Amino acid sequence: MKKDTSKMAFFGLGRLSPYLKPYRGMFVIMIVTTIAVGVADTFLPLFQEYAIDNYIAAGSYAGIWLFVAIYALFIIVPAAIDFWGSYTCCKVEMFLLHDLRGAIFQRLQTYSVAYFNENSVGALHSRTMSDTDAITSVLSWDTYEGGYHVAYTISAVIIMFLLNVYLALIVLVIVPAVAAVYLLLRRRISGRNAEVREANARLTSDYNEGICGAPTAKTLGMEKKLEKTFSEDAEDMRKKSVWHQRTRHLMRTLITFVSFAALAAVLWYGGVITAEGVILIGTLSVFMTYAEGLATPVQWAADALSDLISIKVNVKRIDALMSAETDVRDTPEVTKKYGDTFSPKKENWEEIEGDIEFDGVTFRYPDGDVNILEDFSLKIPRGKTVAVVGETGAGKSTLINLVCRFSDPTEGRVLIDGRDARERSVQWLHSSIGCVLQTPHLFSGTLRENLLYGNPDASDEDIETALRTVFADGVAERLGGLDAVILEGGANLSMGERQLLSFARAILADPKIFILDEATSSIDSVTEGLIQKATGKILEGRTSLIIAHRLSTVREADDIFVMDAGKIVEEGTHGELLQMRGRYFELYSRQLK
């Protein structure tokens, strides 16, 4: 969102102007209709005055049916207009909600993997759902109700001054008194609301971890610890919410007191001048109705101002999410030529050959101060199968992140076909790489839909061929065919089955570069042996980078690199490395034992 220096920016609403512009026409309808209803409602007490003075007090009912007809018209027509306006208001709320959440979701898709490692799912979910709901509710319904109350107040004030100046002034004492109460409590309400929102984000995160991490929690016996953390955060949320609501209701109580004090003053002074014959009793009834009626707009104003203060926090949180800087992004020049994630210019995409080179690469995480890789260089010729092995923390997965541009080097270059990967779009690179990760993710939907993510144009025959190639046809058969439903995250599949399907999905993409990151870690040794044979054919003619702990899976690689502390300490084929009787030999012997 762009920053806004207009008056609207006082509440942060100027940042939302791009989302409001498409619905200017609807806002006009909302405001016009609600003003019309507000003005019409101020005439109802005048009907009351006329009835009291001309029918009740006079004891005559001549012409009453015409009076009733006109009075009914002033009720029915505004009611119909109000229905139209409130329906439009509802549409505005839903459209804004749709657009805001869609924009946030789209923005999230452009962020790098590091962003999601640094921000909890619960916090992101809270911003996307709770904050947008609060913002759109205020922008729609508070605007609609505000138009009504402003119109009613202005019309009522004009009529009161026309009827009696002194009584009107007594009623209007409400305004400065309410302003004083608002100014007194504004900052306190804003601070309390910010605390409540942060507490709610932590609580949402606790829910997410408790649900997503339930299997791990049960195996580790962590239920009590998770419950303790949740209880503490829930208690913190409760306390902050109580204090926030207490402050809000204190404001409402003080305003109500001021309003009814003014009503009492009107009743006293109005009674005096009525007894003196200055005004008729019907006029007094009009002032009593207005004095009581103005209490509602005043209370609404207090609530609306409180809501505006509250959504300032919501808007800031949304703005922070939308304007976050990702550590991996295309330059404007690259985007102009190759397009972006959602509007790729595929006609400009060069055919990838598959040469990969790390040229003096140094890498550390944006929030870290330790280099994971330092002046690292490595060439992987096109069509070759290269394996990288080593202990946990040696830097193997960092290589994968750099090749796939999940991260960019801190220094140096990663070259694809002799060009810096940053000279072409992230989408171009991702479309040319097939990845099978250690923990594959399957999306909710059918089996066919999940596999078509690899290649949307693949036929059912292509899908079945890919499944047979990686021996996953048995998984499809067990599920009941390609139309079988896959639960979120592949919850109705074993980890091994998920990896088999992720193999099939990657094969359908027909990539020039293949990345296997611990891809067979959750597959039994028999199935692993079959996949080894299949991948020999799959990887033929493609550049392949294999990360593995199981050294049995890399024996057929053209070249094996052994990493330690971010550096390559050994290089060779499986047989050559064993003959060296060095680090690889040590790792291999340890696994055999």
Side-chain angles (χ1 to χ4, degrees):
M1 297 182 191
K2 294 181 179 180
K3 303 296 180 184
D4 189 280
T5 56
S6 67
K7 292 181 180 179
M8 287 184 73
F10 176 76
F11 294 111
L13 299 183
R15 302 170 189 175
L16 300 172
S17 57
Y19 302 96
L20 302 178
K21 284 181 180 178
Y23 307 110
R24 286 176 293 188
M26 290 187 181
F27 273 104
V28 170
I29 292 174
M30 283 169 49
I31 293 170
V32 170
T33 54
T34 194
I35 287 175
V37 174
V39 171
D41 281 359
T42 57
F43 283 91
L44 296 181
L46 298 180
F47 281 94
Q48 174 183 305
E49 176 194 27
Y50 187 86
I52 292 173
D53 292 341
N54 292 277
Y55 296 122
I56 299 174
S60 171
Y61 296 98
I64 194 171
W65 293 114
L66 178 60
F67 170 83
V68 169
I70 298 173
Y71 185 58
L73 196 64
F74 263 81
I75 293 175
I76 294 171
V77 173
I81 294 173
D82 182 49
F83 174 80
W84 181 28
S86 58
Y87 172 69
T88 305
C89 181
C90 182
K91 284 172 47 176
V92 167
E93 181 186 20
M94 293 300 105
F95 287 152
L96 283 175
L97 198 62
H98 169 272
D99 292 353
L100 264 179
R101 288 177 176 172
I104 292 169
F105 186 82
Q106 187 180 65
R107 181 65 176 168
L108 287 173
Q109 305 313 302
T110 67
Y111 290 157
S112 68
V113 174
Y115 180 84
F116 297 98
N117 292 335
E118 295 164 5
N119 294 273
S120 72
V121 174
L124 294 176
H125 182 272
S126 175
R127 293 186 184 188
T128 305
M129 305 304 288
S130 301
D131 287 352
T132 54
D133 190 57
I135 291 168
T136 55
S137 177
V138 168
L139 290 176
S140 54
W141 291 106
D142 278 22
T143 299
Y144 187 71
E145 292 175 4
Y148 172 88
H149 291 307
V150 169
Y152 181 90
T153 300
I154 293 174
S155 298
V157 168
I158 292 172
I159 293 172
M160 285 191 296
F161 271 101
L162 291 174
L163 293 175
N164 188 284
V165 174
Y166 296 109
L167 275 179
L169 290 173
I170 292 174
V171 173
L172 292 181
V173 169
I174 295 173
V175 177
V178 168
V181 172
Y182 164 69
L183 292 173
L184 179 67
L185 298 176
R186 182 190 60 166
R187 288 187 178 179
R188 185 173 297 181
I189 290 175
S190 179
R192 297 293 185 194
N193 182 69
E195 292 174 359
V196 169
R197 290 295 173 185
E198 292 303 321
N200 181 64
R202 288 195 297 272
L203 200 62
T204 305
S205 181
D206 291 341
Y207 264 113
N208 182 73
E209 287 190 353
I211 295 170
C212 296
T216 302
K218 291 183 180 299
T219 56
L220 297 175
M222 290 175 57
E223 292 93 341
K224 186 174 181 179
K225 184 180 184 302
L226 290 176
E227 193 277 333
K228 182 175 181 293
T229 301
F230 177 83
S231 296
E232 289 172 352
D233 287 342
E235 178 64 14
D236 182 55
M237 172 79 173
R238 183 192 67 79
K239 288 179 179 178
K240 286 182 169 59
S241 298
V242 168
W243 276 103
H244 177 238
Q245 291 302 322
R246 182 179 297 175
T247 308
R248 287 193 64 172
H249 285 287
L250 174 61
M251 176 186 282
R252 295 191 64 182
T253 302
L254 291 174
I255 290 171
T256 302
F257 173 77
V258 171
S259 302
F260 284 99
L263 183 64
V266 169
L267 181 61
W268 170 76
Y269 183 71
V272 171
I273 62 176
T274 300
E276 294 175 351
V278 176
I279 60 173
L280 297 175
I281 192 168
T283 304
L284 177 60
S285 73
V286 171
F287 273 94
M288 293 295 295
T289 302
Y290 284 150
E292 186 176 0
L294 286 177
T296 300
V298 170
Q299 288 179 351
W300 169 86
D303 286 338
L305 288 170
S306 176
D307 288 339
L308 283 171
I309 294 169
S310 298
I311 70 164
K312 185 177 180 181
V313 176
N314 303 125
V315 173
K316 280 185 176 180
R317 282 157 52 93
I318 294 295
D319 185 58
L321 188 153
M322 294 288 282
S323 59
E325 293 291 337
T326 177
D327 58 328
V328 177
R329 57 184 178 276
D330 293 329
T331 64
E333 294 77 17
V334 169
T335 301
K336 182 178 180 180
K337 181 177 181 180
Y338 295 100
D340 58 23
T341 302
F342 302 101
S343 302
K345 297 179 181 178
K346 294 187 177 182
E347 65 275 10
N348 294 334
W349 289 6
E350 295 90 346
E351 187 71 26
I352 196 168
E353 299 295 334
D355 288 310
I356 301 172
E357 180 180 356
F358 293 85
D359 180 23
V361 170
T362 295
F363 176 79
R364 63 177 172 274
Y365 291 103
D367 57 346
D369 54 5
V370 176
N371 291 335
I372 309 300
L373 300 177
E374 191 165 354
D375 195 25
F376 181 89
S377 296
L378 172 66
K379 287 186 178 181
I380 304 175
R382 69 186 69 175
K384 295 294 184 179
T385 297
V386 170
V388 180
V389 301
E391 300 279 9
T392 300
K396 304 185 302 297
S397 293
T398 300
L399 298 184
I400 296 294
N401 291 337
L402 292 170
V403 170
C404 296
R405 277 202 77 191
F406 295 154
S407 299
D408 277 337
T410 307
E411 297 175 18
R413 302 180 300 167
V414 176
L415 305 176
I416 305 295
D417 295 342
R419 285 180 60 185
D420 192 325
R422 289 169 291 198
E423 294 179 8
R424 291 184 247 191
S425 69
V426 173
Q427 189 71 7
W428 168 84
L429 182 61
H430 289 174
S431 298
S432 304
I433 294 179
C435 282
V436 181
L437 303 177
Q438 183 176 3
T439 52
H441 184 84
L442 295 178
F443 299 90
S444 55
T446 65
L447 175 57
R448 179 187 287 103
E449 289 169 345
N450 266 278
L451 295 175
L452 286 176
Y453 285 123
N455 179 6
D457 299 323
S459 65
D460 283 0
E461 185 178 350
D462 294 331
I463 293 173
E464 290 166 0
T465 299
L467 289 170
R468 285 195 299 272
T469 301
V470 297
F471 308 100
D473 48 328
V475 179
E477 185 177 345
R478 181 185 72 78
L479 291 172
L482 298 180
D483 292 319
V485 174
I486 303 295
L487 299 181
E488 181 182 359
N492 53 338
L493 299 168
S494 69
M495 180 60 76
E497 288 175 327
R498 290 179 218 171
Q499 285 186 310
L500 288 172
L501 293 178
S502 68
F503 260 101
R505 184 169 59 191
I507 290 167
L508 279 172
D510 192 24
K512 293 292 184 179
I513 297 175
F514 225 102
I515 306 291
L516 304 181
D517 185 8
E518 302 291 349
T520 59
S521 61
S522 297
I523 298 175
D524 62 82
S525 55
V526 175
T527 306
E528 180 188 347
L530 295 174
I531 287 185
Q532 287 291 329
K533 295 178 182 178
T535 51
K537 297 178 181 178
I538 295 166
L539 303 183
E540 188 175 338
R542 294 185 172 94
T543 306
S544 306
L545 181 57
I546 303 174
I547 304 295
H549 277 295
R550 284 190 192 177
L551 301 187
S552 59
T553 63
V554 301
R555 286 179 296 189
E556 303 302 321
D558 297 318
D559 216 348
I560 301 172
F561 295 91
V562 183
M563 286 191 71
D564 185 34
K567 299 184 182 298
I568 295 175
V569 295
E570 290 179 0
E571 175 190 355
T573 64
H574 174 71
E576 291 170 346
L577 290 172
L578 288 180
Q579 288 179 358
M580 291 180 189
R581 302 184 72 82
R583 189 56 181 267
Y584 183 85
F585 178 83
E586 178 187 339
L587 292 171
Y588 191 75
S589 300
R590 190 188 309 163
Q591 286 195 6
L592 286 178
K593 291 179 182 179

